[in-house]
Amino acid sequence: MAAGSDFLTVADTNLRDFGMRVSRRVELPDGPVADLFGSRTYFSWKGFVILSQHVAVCDYGDRTATPADAQALFAAAFRRAKKVNRVPLLRGMQFGYMVIPCLIVQSADDALVEYAESRPRKHWSLFEFPVVVDRSSGRTHCYTETAMWGAFFFSDMRALVRRCIVPAIKRAEPGAAPDTAG
């Protein structure tokens, strides 16, 4: 499990360098415990909106994870995001959330990879961007295309994955295969 600890340490540092406030071992409302939870709020010139961006990292170790686990992590992380957000605007009125549930697994099965790489579900002024890190292959799986709805903002979510998650698995798992996060 040393690799898991290394991954979390590197991801923690990367998220902080990305401008996020990061907490460890965060008990999410009505959900799992996130090993890392990062938050930041920023103004985006792309849509002239204020975005509240959050990432919840859950290390499953040797346990298997399913798409239902990813959905539960997303839902719990969104509930936490609403609590830590301090912007007095209604969602959808020049304000929105980005929630990135990140599952770290020993070996991702086809259903979990398919879930992470498929087009995220639509929500009102809320982006769901699941990420799966497969330790056995060293690959990071997420949606690499751009959907028409919210097209401006997919690059923001992929940038977080490329700058914070992908380098963490590369440093924690030397010799890992190239990632798929585009």
Side-chain angles (χ1 to χ4, degrees):
M1 193 60 118
S5 172
D6 291 345
F7 174 86
L8 293 174
T9 301
V10 175
D12 184 319
T13 301
N14 293 347
L15 290 168
R16 288 177 195 280
D17 291 346
F18 197 69
M20 294 199 144
R21 295 176 314 278
V22 180
S23 301
R24 287 211 177 214
R25 302 292 303 160
V26 175
E27 196 153 329
L28 300 174
D30 302 322
V33 173
D35 294 297
L36 292 176
F37 190 85
S39 299
R40 75 179 182 143
T41 300
Y42 66 99
F43 179 77
S44 172
W45 286 100
K46 293 178 187 177
F48 297 105
V49 297
I50 296 172
L51 294 171
S52 185
Q53 189 176 52
H54 306 271
V55 60
V57 178
C58 191
D59 187 348
Y60 280 79
D62 292 333
R63 298 172 293 155
T64 57
T66 65
D69 293 321
Q71 292 169 354
L73 181 59
F74 163 74
F78 177 53
R79 286 190 294 274
R80 167 80 179 186
K82 289 190 295 186
K83 287 185 176 185
V84 299
N85 175 46
R86 296 197 178 13
V87 177
L89 297 172
L90 295 174
R91 188 164 46 124
M93 304 304 280
Q94 296 309 110
F95 173 69
Y97 289 95
M98 290 181 178
V99 178
I100 301 171
C102 180
L103 287 74
I104 314 304
V105 296
Q106 186 57 41
S107 181
D109 66 10
D110 291 341
L112 190 58
V113 170
E114 183 180 331
Y115 176 76
E117 292 180 349
S118 65
R119 182 178 308 208
R121 296 182 298 174
K122 293 181 187 178
H123 303 278
W124 175 253
S125 296
L126 166 63
F127 290 95
E128 174 181 2
F129 197 77
V131 176
V132 172
V133 176
D134 184 339
R135 280 198 181 98
S136 65
S137 68
R139 296 187 75 168
T140 304
H141 301 278
C142 65
Y143 185 63
T144 57
E145 298 174 32
T146 300
M148 288 300 288
W149 54 270
F152 291 143
F153 305 110
F154 278 91
S155 62
D156 290 0
M157 294 177 284
R158 282 193 296 268
L160 183 142
V161 172
R162 267 195 311 271
R163 287 183 53 198
C164 302
I165 304 300
V166 171
I169 193 65
K170 298 291 180 221
R171 288 191 50 203
E173 305 286 338
D179 65 87
T180 59

